[in-house]
Coordinates of all heavy atoms in Angstrom, one line a residue:
M661 N 21.9 65.9 21.7 CA 22.9 66.8 22.0 C 23.9 66.3 23.0 O 23.5 66.1 24.3 CB 22.3 68.2 22.4 CG 23.2 69.2 22.8 SD 22.6 70.8 23.1 CE 20.9 70.6 23.8
P662 N 25.2 66.0 22.8 CA 26.1 65.4 23.8 C 26.4 66.4 24.9 O 26.6 67.5 24.8 CB 27.3 65.1 22.9 CG 26.9 65.2 21.5 CD 25.7 66.0 21.4
T663 N 26.4 65.8 26.1 CA 26.8 66.5 27.3 C 28.4 66.4 27.2 O 28.9 65.4 27.2 CB 26.3 65.9 28.5 OG1 24.9 66.0 28.5 CG2 26.9 66.6 29.8
I664 N 29.0 67.6 27.3 CA 30.6 67.6 27.3 C 31.1 67.9 28.7 O 32.2 67.6 29.0 CB 31.1 68.6 26.3 CG1 30.6 70.1 26.6 CG2 30.7 68.2 24.9 CD1 31.3 71.1 25.7
S665 N 30.3 68.3 29.6 CA 30.8 68.7 31.0 C 29.6 68.8 32.0 O 28.6 69.3 31.4 CB 31.7 69.8 31.1 OG 32.6 69.7 32.3
M666 N 29.8 68.6 33.2 CA 28.9 68.9 34.3 C 29.6 69.3 35.6 O 30.6 68.7 35.9 CB 28.0 67.7 34.6 CG 27.0 67.4 33.5 SD 25.9 65.9 34.0 CE 27.0 64.6 34.1
F667 N 29.1 70.5 36.1 CA 29.8 70.9 37.5 C 28.7 71.8 38.2 O 28.0 72.6 37.5 CB 31.1 71.7 37.1 CG 31.0 72.7 36.1 CD1 30.8 74.0 36.4 CD2 31.3 72.3 34.7 CE1 30.7 75.0 35.4 CE2 31.3 73.3 33.8 CZ 31.0 74.7 34.2
Y668 N 28.7 71.6 39.4 CA 27.9 72.4 40.2 C 26.5 72.6 39.9 O 25.9 73.7 39.9 CB 28.5 73.9 40.4 CG 29.9 73.8 41.0 CD1 31.0 74.0 40.3 CD2 30.1 73.5 42.4 CE1 32.2 74.0 40.7 CE2 31.4 73.5 42.9 CZ 32.4 73.8 42.1 OH 33.7 73.7 42.6
G669 N 25.8 71.5 39.3 CA 24.5 71.4 38.8 C 24.4 72.1 37.4 O 23.2 72.2 36.9
I670 N 25.5 72.4 36.7 CA 25.4 73.0 35.5 C 25.7 71.8 34.4 O 26.6 71.2 34.5 CB 26.5 74.0 35.3 CG1 26.1 75.2 36.3 CG2 26.5 74.7 33.8 CD1 27.2 76.2 36.5
I671 N 24.8 71.8 33.5 CA 25.1 70.8 32.3 C 25.5 71.6 31.1 O 24.7 72.5 30.7 CB 23.7 69.9 32.1 CG1 23.4 69.2 33.3 CG2 24.1 69.1 30.9 CD1 22.0 68.5 33.2
V672 N 26.6 71.2 30.5 CA 27.2 71.9 29.3 C 27.0 70.9 28.1 O 27.5 69.8 28.2 CB 28.6 72.2 29.5 CG1 29.1 73.1 28.3 CG2 28.9 73.1 30.8
R673 N 26.4 71.4 27.1 CA 26.2 70.5 25.8 C 26.6 71.4 24.6 O 26.6 72.5 24.6 CB 24.6 70.2 25.7 CG 24.2 69.3 26.8 CD 22.9 68.6 26.6 NE 22.6 67.6 27.5 CZ 21.6 67.7 28.4 NH1 20.9 68.7 28.5 NH2 21.4 66.6 29.2
M674 N 26.9 70.5 23.6 CA 27.2 71.1 22.3 C 26.5 70.3 21.2 O 26.6 69.1 21.2 CB 28.8 71.1 22.0 CG 29.1 71.9 20.8 SD 31.0 71.8 20.7 CE 31.5 73.1 21.8
F675 N 25.7 71.0 20.3 CA 25.0 70.4 19.3 C 26.0 70.0 18.2 O 27.0 70.7 17.9 CB 24.0 71.2 18.6 CG 22.7 71.3 19.4 CD1 22.3 72.5 19.9 CD2 21.9 70.2 19.5 CE1 21.1 72.6 20.6 CE2 20.6 70.3 20.1 CZ 20.2 71.6 20.7
F676 N 25.8 69.0 17.4 CA 26.4 68.7 16.2 C 25.8 69.6 15.1 O 24.5 69.6 14.9 CB 26.3 67.2 15.7 CG 27.1 66.3 16.6 CD1 26.6 65.7 17.8 CD2 28.4 66.0 16.2 CE1 27.3 64.8 18.6 CE2 29.1 65.2 17.1 CZ 28.6 64.6 18.2
I677 N 26.6 70.1 14.2 CA 26.2 71.0 13.1 C 25.2 71.9 13.5 O 24.1 72.0 12.9 CB 25.7 70.0 11.9 CG1 26.8 68.9 11.6 CG2 25.6 70.7 10.7 CD1 26.3 67.9 10.7
D678 N 25.5 72.8 14.4 CA 24.6 73.8 15.0 C 25.0 75.2 14.6 O 25.1 76.0 15.4 CB 24.4 73.6 16.5 CG 23.4 74.5 17.1 OD1 22.5 74.9 16.4 OD2 23.4 74.7 18.4
T679 N 25.3 75.4 13.3 CA 25.7 76.8 12.9 C 24.7 77.6 12.4 O 24.8 78.9 12.4 CB 26.8 76.7 11.8 OG1 26.2 76.0 10.8 CG2 28.1 75.9 12.3
N680 N 23.5 77.0 12.2 CA 22.3 77.9 11.7 C 21.6 78.7 12.9 O 21.2 79.8 12.5 CB 21.3 77.0 11.0 CG 21.8 76.3 9.8 OD1 22.7 76.9 9.1 ND2 21.3 75.2 9.5
Q681 N 21.6 78.2 14.1 CA 20.8 78.8 15.1 C 21.5 80.2 15.5 O 20.9 81.1 15.6 CB 20.7 78.0 16.3 CG 19.8 78.6 17.4 CD 19.6 77.7 18.7 OE1 20.2 76.6 18.7 NE2 18.9 78.1 19.5
H682 N 22.7 80.1 15.8 CA 23.5 81.2 16.2 C 24.6 81.8 15.4 O 25.2 82.9 15.6 CB 23.9 81.1 17.6 CG 22.8 80.8 18.7 ND1 21.9 81.7 19.1 CD2 22.4 79.6 19.2 CE1 21.0 81.1 19.8 NE2 21.3 79.9 19.8
N683 N 25.1 80.9 14.4 CA 26.1 81.2 13.4 C 27.5 81.7 14.0 O 28.1 82.4 13.3 CB 25.5 82.3 12.5 CG 26.2 82.3 11.1 OD1 26.8 81.4 10.8 ND2 26.4 83.5 10.6
L684 N 27.8 81.1 15.2 CA 29.1 81.4 15.6 C 29.2 80.2 16.8 O 28.3 79.6 17.2 CB 29.3 82.7 16.3 CG 28.6 83.0 17.6 CD1 29.3 84.0 18.3 CD2 27.2 83.6 17.3
P685 N 30.5 80.0 17.1 CA 30.7 79.0 18.1 C 30.0 79.2 19.5 O 30.0 80.4 19.9 CB 32.2 79.0 18.3 CG 32.8 79.6 17.1 CD 31.7 80.5 16.7
H686 N 29.4 78.2 20.0 CA 28.6 78.4 21.2 C 28.4 77.1 21.9 O 28.5 76.0 21.3 CB 27.3 79.1 21.0 CG 26.4 78.3 20.0 ND1 26.4 78.3 18.7 CD2 25.3 77.5 20.4 CE1 25.5 77.5 18.2 NE2 24.8 76.9 19.2
I687 N 28.0 77.2 23.2 CA 27.5 76.0 23.9 C 26.1 76.3 24.5 O 25.6 77.4 24.6 CB 28.5 75.6 25.1 CG1 28.8 76.9 25.9 CG2 29.7 75.1 24.5 CD1 29.7 76.7 27.1
H688 N 25.5 75.1 24.9 CA 24.2 75.2 25.5 C 24.3 74.9 27.0 O 24.9 73.8 27.2 CB 23.2 74.3 24.8 CG 22.9 74.6 23.4 ND1 21.7 75.3 22.9 CD2 23.7 74.5 22.3 CE1 21.8 75.5 21.6 NE2 23.0 75.1 21.2
I689 N 23.6 75.6 27.8 CA 23.8 75.4 29.3 C 22.4 75.1 29.9 O 21.4 75.8 29.6 CB 24.4 76.7 30.0 CG1 25.7 77.1 29.4 CG2 24.4 76.5 31.4 CD1 26.8 76.0 29.5
E690 N 22.3 74.2 30.8 CA 21.1 74.0 31.5 C 21.5 74.0 33.0 O 22.5 73.5 33.5 CB 20.5 72.6 31.2 CG 20.0 72.5 29.8 CD 19.5 71.0 29.6 OE1 18.9 70.4 30.6 OE2 19.5 70.6 28.5
Y691 N 20.6 74.6 33.7 CA 20.8 74.7 35.2 C 19.4 75.0 35.8 O 18.8 75.9 35.7 CB 21.7 75.9 35.6 CG 21.8 76.2 37.1 CD1 22.6 75.2 37.9 CD2 21.2 77.1 37.7 CE1 22.6 75.4 39.2 CE2 21.3 77.3 39.1 CZ 22.0 76.4 39.9 OH 22.0 76.5 41.2
Q692 N 19.0 74.0 36.6 CA 17.7 74.1 37.4 C 16.6 74.6 36.6 O 15.8 75.7 36.9 CB 17.9 74.9 38.6 CG 18.8 74.3 39.6 CD 18.9 75.0 41.0 OE1 18.4 76.1 41.1 NE2 19.5 74.4 42.0
G693 N 16.3 74.0 35.4 CA 15.3 74.3 34.6 C 15.4 75.5 33.7 O 14.6 75.8 32.7
K694 N 16.6 76.3 33.8 CA 16.9 77.4 33.0 C 17.8 76.9 31.9 O 18.6 76.0 32.1 CB 17.5 78.5 33.8 CG 16.7 79.1 34.8 CD 17.4 80.3 35.5 CE 16.5 80.9 36.6 NZ 15.3 81.6 36.1
E695 N 17.8 77.5 30.8 CA 18.5 77.2 29.6 C 19.2 78.5 29.0 O 18.5 79.5 29.1 CB 17.7 76.6 28.5 CG 17.2 75.2 29.0 CD 16.4 74.5 27.9 OE1 16.5 74.9 26.7 OE2 15.8 73.4 28.2
A696 N 20.5 78.4 28.7 CA 21.1 79.5 27.9 C 22.0 79.1 26.9 O 22.4 77.8 26.8 CB 21.9 80.3 29.1
V697 N 22.4 80.0 26.0 CA 23.3 79.8 24.9 C 24.5 80.7 25.1 O 24.1 81.9 25.2 CB 22.7 80.0 23.5 CG1 23.7 79.7 22.4 CG2 21.6 78.9 23.4
I698 N 25.7 80.3 25.2 CA 26.8 81.0 25.6 C 27.8 81.0 24.4 O 28.1 79.9 23.9 CB 27.5 80.6 26.8 CG1 26.5 80.4 27.9 CG2 28.7 81.5 27.2 CD1 26.0 81.7 28.6
S699 N 28.3 82.2 24.0 CA 29.3 82.2 22.8 C 30.6 81.7 23.3 O 31.1 81.8 24.4 CB 29.4 83.6 22.2 OG 30.1 84.4 23.2
L700 N 31.4 81.2 22.3 CA 32.7 80.7 22.4 C 33.6 81.6 21.5 O 33.2 81.9 20.4 CB 32.9 79.3 22.1 CG 32.1 78.2 22.9 CD1 32.3 76.9 22.3 CD2 32.5 78.4 24.3
P701 N 34.7 82.0 22.0 CA 35.3 81.9 23.3 C 34.9 83.0 24.2 O 35.4 83.1 25.3 CB 36.8 81.8 23.0 CG 37.0 82.8 21.8 CD 35.9 82.5 21.0
A702 N 34.2 84.0 23.7 CA 33.8 85.3 24.5 C 33.1 85.0 25.8 O 33.2 85.8 26.8 CB 33.2 86.3 23.6
G703 N 32.3 84.0 25.9 CA 31.5 83.8 27.0 C 30.3 84.6 27.1 O 29.7 84.8 28.3
E704 N 29.9 85.3 26.0 CA 28.7 86.1 26.1 C 27.3 85.4 26.0 O 27.2 84.4 25.4 CB 28.7 87.1 24.9 CG 29.8 88.1 24.9 CD 30.0 88.9 23.6 OE1 28.8 89.1 22.9 OE2 31.0 89.4 23.3
L705 N 26.4 85.8 26.9 CA 25.1 85.3 26.8 C 24.4 85.7 25.6 O 24.1 86.8 25.3 CB 24.3 85.7 28.1 CG 22.9 85.2 28.2 CD1 23.0 83.7 28.5 CD2 22.2 85.9 29.4
L706 N 24.1 84.7 24.8 CA 23.5 84.9 23.4 C 21.9 84.7 23.5 O 21.1 85.4 22.8 CB 24.0 83.9 22.4 CG 25.5 84.0 22.0 CD1 25.7 82.8 21.1 CD2 25.8 85.3 21.4
D707 N 21.5 83.9 24.4 CA 20.1 83.6 24.5 C 19.8 82.9 25.8 O 20.7 82.2 26.4 CB 19.7 82.6 23.4 CG 18.1 82.5 23.1 OD1 17.4 83.3 23.6 OD2 17.7 81.5 22.5
G708 N 18.5 83.1 26.4 CA 18.2 82.4 27.6 C 18.6 83.2 28.8 O 18.8 84.4 28.8
D709 N 18.6 82.4 29.9 CA 18.7 83.1 31.3 C 19.5 82.1 32.2 O 19.2 80.9 32.2 CB 17.3 83.3 31.8 CG 17.3 84.0 33.1 OD1 18.2 84.9 33.3 OD2 16.5 83.8 33.9
L710 N 20.4 82.7 32.9 CA 21.1 81.9 34.0 C 21.3 82.9 35.3 O 21.5 84.0 35.0 CB 22.5 81.5 33.5 CG 22.8 80.2 32.7 CD1 24.2 80.1 32.3 CD2 22.2 79.1 33.5
P711 N 21.3 82.4 36.4 CA 21.8 83.2 37.4 C 23.1 83.8 37.3 O 24.0 83.1 36.7 CB 21.7 82.2 38.7 CG 20.8 81.1 38.3 CD 21.0 81.0 36.7
V712 N 23.4 84.9 37.7 CA 24.6 85.6 37.5 C 25.8 84.9 38.0 O 26.9 84.7 37.2 CB 24.6 87.0 38.1 CG1 26.0 87.6 38.0 CG2 23.7 87.9 37.5
K713 N 25.7 84.2 39.2 CA 26.9 83.5 39.7 C 27.2 82.2 38.8 O 28.3 81.9 38.6 CB 26.6 82.9 41.1 CG 26.7 84.1 42.2 CD 26.4 83.6 43.5 CE 26.5 84.7 44.6 NZ 26.3 84.2 45.9
K714 N 26.1 81.6 38.3 CA 26.3 80.4 37.4 C 27.0 80.8 36.1 O 27.8 80.2 35.5 CB 25.1 79.6 37.3 CG 24.5 79.0 38.7 CD 25.6 78.1 39.2 CE 25.0 77.6 40.6 NZ 25.9 76.8 41.3
L715 N 26.5 82.0 35.6 CA 27.1 82.5 34.3 C 28.5 82.7 34.5 O 29.2 82.3 33.6 CB 26.3 83.6 33.9 CG 26.8 84.5 32.6 CD1 26.8 83.5 31.5 CD2 26.0 85.7 32.3
K716 N 28.8 83.4 35.6 CA 30.3 83.7 35.9 C 31.1 82.4 35.9 O 32.3 82.3 35.5 CB 30.5 84.5 37.0 CG 29.9 85.9 36.9 CD 30.6 87.0 37.7 CE 30.0 88.3 37.5 NZ 30.3 88.9 36.0
M717 N 30.5 81.3 36.6 CA 31.3 80.0 36.7 C 31.4 79.4 35.3 O 32.5 79.0 34.9 CB 30.5 79.0 37.4 CG 30.4 79.3 38.9 SD 29.3 78.1 39.7 CE 30.5 77.5 40.9
V718 N 30.4 79.6 34.5 CA 30.5 78.9 32.9 C 31.6 79.8 32.2 O 32.4 79.3 31.6 CB 29.2 79.0 32.3 CG1 29.3 78.7 30.8 CG2 28.2 78.1 32.9
Q719 N 31.5 81.2 32.4 CA 32.6 81.9 31.7 C 34.0 81.6 32.3 O 34.9 81.5 31.4 CB 32.3 83.5 32.0 CG 31.0 83.8 31.3 CD 30.5 85.3 31.6 OE1 30.6 85.7 32.9 NE2 29.8 85.9 30.8
A720 N 34.3 81.3 33.5 CA 35.5 80.9 34.0 C 35.9 79.6 33.3 O 37.1 79.5 33.0 CB 35.5 80.8 35.5
W721 N 35.0 78.6 33.3 CA 35.3 77.3 32.7 C 35.7 77.5 31.3 O 36.6 76.9 30.8 CB 34.0 76.5 32.9 CG 34.2 75.1 32.3 CD1 34.9 73.9 32.9 CD2 33.6 74.6 31.1 NE1 34.7 73.0 32.1 CE2 34.0 73.3 31.0 CE3 32.9 75.2 30.1 CZ2 33.6 72.5 29.9 CZ3 32.5 74.5 29.1 CH2 32.8 73.2 28.9
I722 N 34.9 78.4 30.6 CA 35.3 78.6 29.1 C 36.7 79.2 29.0 O 37.4 78.7 28.1 CB 34.1 79.5 28.6 CG1 32.8 78.9 28.3 CG2 34.7 80.2 27.1 CD1 31.7 79.8 28.0
A723 N 37.1 80.1 29.8 CA 38.4 80.7 29.7 C 39.5 79.6 30.0 O 40.5 79.6 29.3 CB 38.5 81.8 30.8
I724 N 39.1 78.8 30.9 CA 40.1 77.6 31.3 C 40.3 76.7 30.1 O 41.4 76.1 29.8 CB 39.8 76.9 32.5 CG1 39.9 77.8 33.8 CG2 40.6 75.6 32.8 CD1 39.2 77.4 35.1
H725 N 39.1 76.3 29.5 CA 39.2 75.3 28.4 C 38.8 75.7 27.1 O 38.4 75.0 26.2 CB 38.0 74.3 28.8 CG 38.3 73.6 30.2 ND1 39.3 72.6 30.3 CD2 37.8 73.8 31.4 CE1 39.3 72.2 31.6 NE2 38.4 72.9 32.2
E726 N 39.3 77.0 26.8 CA 39.0 77.6 25.5 C 39.5 76.7 24.3 O 38.8 76.5 23.4 CB 39.7 79.0 25.4 CG 39.5 79.7 24.0 CD 40.1 81.1 24.0 OE1 40.4 81.6 25.1 OE2 40.3 81.5 22.9
E727 N 40.7 76.2 24.4 CA 41.3 75.4 23.2 C 40.6 74.2 23.1 O 40.2 73.9 21.9 CB 42.7 75.1 23.4 CG 43.6 76.4 23.3 CD 45.1 76.0 23.5 OE1 45.4 74.9 23.5 OE2 45.9 76.9 23.8
E728 N 40.2 73.5 24.1 CA 39.4 72.2 24.0 C 38.0 72.4 23.5 O 37.4 71.7 22.7 CB 39.3 71.5 25.4 CG 40.6 71.1 25.9 CD 40.4 70.9 27.4 OE1 40.5 71.8 28.1 OE2 40.4 69.7 27.8
L729 N 37.3 73.6 23.8 CA 35.9 73.9 23.4 C 36.0 74.3 21.9 O 35.2 73.8 21.1 CB 35.4 75.1 24.2 CG 35.0 74.8 25.6 CD1 35.0 76.0 26.4 CD2 33.7 74.0 25.6
M730 N 37.1 75.0 21.5 CA 37.1 75.4 20.0 C 37.4 74.0 19.2 O 36.9 74.0 18.1 CB 38.1 76.6 19.8 CG 37.8 77.7 20.5 SD 36.1 78.4 20.1 CE 36.1 78.7 18.4
A731 N 38.3 73.2 19.7 CA 38.5 71.9 19.0 C 37.2 71.1 18.9 O 36.9 70.6 17.9 CB 39.6 71.2 19.8
N732 N 36.4 71.1 20.0 CA 35.2 70.4 19.9 C 34.3 71.1 18.9 O 33.4 70.3 18.2 CB 34.5 70.4 21.4 CG 34.6 69.1 22.1 OD1 35.1 68.0 21.5 ND2 34.2 69.1 23.2
W733 N 34.2 72.3 18.9 CA 33.3 73.1 18.0 C 33.7 72.7 16.5 O 32.8 72.4 15.6 CB 33.5 74.6 18.1 CG 32.6 75.3 17.2 CD1 32.9 75.9 15.9 CD2 31.1 75.5 17.3 NE1 31.7 76.4 15.4 CE2 30.7 76.2 16.1 CE3 30.2 75.0 18.2 CZ2 29.4 76.5 15.9 CZ3 28.8 75.4 18.0 CH2 28.5 76.1 16.8
A734 N 35.0 72.6 16.2 CA 35.5 72.2 14.9 C 35.0 70.9 14.5 O 34.5 70.5 13.4 CB 37.0 72.3 14.8
L735 N 35.0 69.9 15.4 CA 34.5 68.5 15.2 C 33.1 68.5 15.0 O 32.6 67.8 14.2 CB 34.9 67.6 16.5 CG 36.4 67.4 16.7 CD1 36.7 66.7 18.0 CD2 36.9 66.5 15.6
A736 N 32.3 69.3 15.9 CA 30.8 69.2 15.8 C 30.4 69.8 14.6 O 29.4 69.3 13.9 CB 30.3 70.1 17.1
V737 N 31.0 70.9 14.0 CA 30.6 71.5 12.8 C 30.7 70.5 11.6 O 29.9 70.5 10.7 CB 31.3 72.7 12.5 CG1 31.2 73.3 11.1 CG2 30.9 73.8 13.4
R738 N 31.7 69.7 11.7 CA 31.9 68.7 10.7 C 31.0 67.4 10.9 O 31.1 66.4 10.2 CB 33.4 68.2 10.6 CG 34.3 69.3 10.1 CD 35.6 68.9 9.8 NE 36.3 68.2 10.9 CZ 37.2 68.7 11.8 NH1 37.6 70.0 11.6 NH2 37.8 68.0 12.7
G739 N 30.3 67.4 12.0 CA 29.4 66.2 12.4 C 30.2 65.2 12.9 O 29.7 64.0 13.0
E740 N 31.4 65.3 13.5 CA 32.2 64.2 14.1 C 32.0 64.2 15.5 O 31.6 65.2 16.1 CB 33.6 64.6 13.7 CG 34.0 64.5 12.3 CD 35.4 64.8 11.9 OE1 36.4 64.7 12.8 OE2 35.8 65.2 10.8
P741 N 32.3 63.1 16.3 CA 32.1 63.0 17.7 C 33.0 64.0 18.4 O 34.1 64.3 18.1 CB 32.6 61.5 18.0 CG 32.4 60.8 16.6 CD 32.7 61.8 15.6
I742 N 32.4 64.6 19.4 CA 33.2 65.4 20.3 C 33.4 64.8 21.6 O 33.0 63.7 22.0 CB 32.3 66.8 20.5 CG1 31.0 66.4 21.2 CG2 32.1 67.5 19.3 CD1 30.1 67.7 21.5
F743 N 34.5 65.4 22.4 CA 35.0 64.7 23.6 C 34.5 65.5 24.8 O 34.2 66.7 24.8 CB 36.5 64.7 23.6 CG 37.1 66.0 23.2 CD1 37.5 66.8 24.2 CD2 37.5 66.3 21.9 CE1 38.2 68.1 24.0 CE2 38.1 67.5 21.6 CZ 38.4 68.4 22.6
K744 N 34.5 64.8 26.0 CA 34.3 65.4 27.2 C 35.4 66.3 27.7 O 36.5 66.1 27.3 CB 34.1 64.4 28.3 CG 32.9 63.3 27.9 CD 31.9 63.4 28.9 CE 30.8 62.4 28.6 NZ 29.4 62.9 28.4
I745 N 35.0 67.3 28.5 CA 35.9 68.3 28.9 C 35.8 68.3 30.5 O 34.7 68.2 31.0 CB 35.7 69.7 28.4 CG1 35.9 69.7 26.8 CG2 36.7 70.8 29.0 CD1 35.5 71.1 26.1
E746 N 37.0 68.4 31.2 CA 37.1 68.4 32.6 C 36.1 69.4 33.2 O 36.0 70.6 32.6 CB 38.4 68.7 33.1 CG 39.3 67.5 32.9 CD 39.1 66.3 33.9 OE1 38.7 66.5 35.1 OE2 39.1 65.2 33.3
P747 N 35.4 69.1 34.3 CA 34.5 70.1 34.9 C 35.3 71.1 35.6 O 36.6 71.1 36.0 CB 33.8 69.3 36.0 CG 34.5 68.1 36.2 CD 35.2 67.9 35.0
L748 N 34.7 72.3 36.1 CA 35.2 73.3 36.9 C 35.2 72.7 38.4 O 34.3 72.1 38.9 CB 34.3 74.5 36.9 CG 34.9 75.8 37.5 CD1 36.1 76.3 36.9 CD2 33.7 76.8 37.6
R749 N 36.5 72.9 38.9 CA 36.5 72.3 40.3 C 36.8 73.5 41.3 O 37.4 74.4 41.1 CB 37.9 71.5 40.3 CG 37.6 70.2 39.4 CD 38.7 69.3 39.5 NE 38.8 68.3 38.4 CZ 38.3 67.1 38.4 NH1 37.7 66.8 39.5 NH2 38.3 66.4 37.4

């Protein structure tokens, strides 16, 4: 699963061809041993657990990079390579 961004200890990943698990655009988040799945572009927590402050950071990052994330999702669904996205600063 490619890492598309990292910021403040948060690792953001996107699976290739991962429409079966949640059946909508989403990203996978890891932070200090916790894992979560967040919907795109809504930023809703679909699965897992994250500290509230970190979830809000991820949601802000999603809002800033919505177009890039959705472009990556379209590529991933087709099994094509995805690109890195700037971290939250």
Side-chain angles (χ1 to χ4, degrees):
M661 172 171 37
T663 298
I664 58 173
S665 196
M666 291 188 287
F667 50 91
Y668 302 105
I670 298 167
I671 300 170
V672 183
R673 294 192 168 111
M674 187 178 285
F675 279 118
F676 286 92
I677 312 174
D678 187 21
T679 57
N680 293 331
Q681 184 179 4
H682 301 287
N683 201 27
L684 71 151
H686 63 276
I687 53 177
H688 295 257
I689 304 296
E690 291 180 32
Y691 175 74
Q692 293 187 348
K694 295 187 181 285
E695 296 183 8
V697 178
I698 311 291
S699 70
L700 298 174
E704 295 176 20
L705 182 66
L706 297 175
D707 193 18
D709 182 36
L710 275 181
V712 174
K713 287 183 181 181
K714 298 302 178 183
L715 176 58
K716 295 213 180 286
M717 289 176 127
V718 171
Q719 290 168 331
W721 179 79
I722 289 170
I724 293 166
H725 297 286
E726 179 179 337
E727 289 181 22
E728 295 162 284
L729 286 161
M730 296 310 292
N732 257 352
W733 181 259
L735 291 170
V737 166
R738 294 191 305 262
E740 297 178 23
I742 57 178
F743 53 89
K744 301 249 184 228
I745 299 175
E746 286 292 316
L748 188 65
R749 297 181 196 269

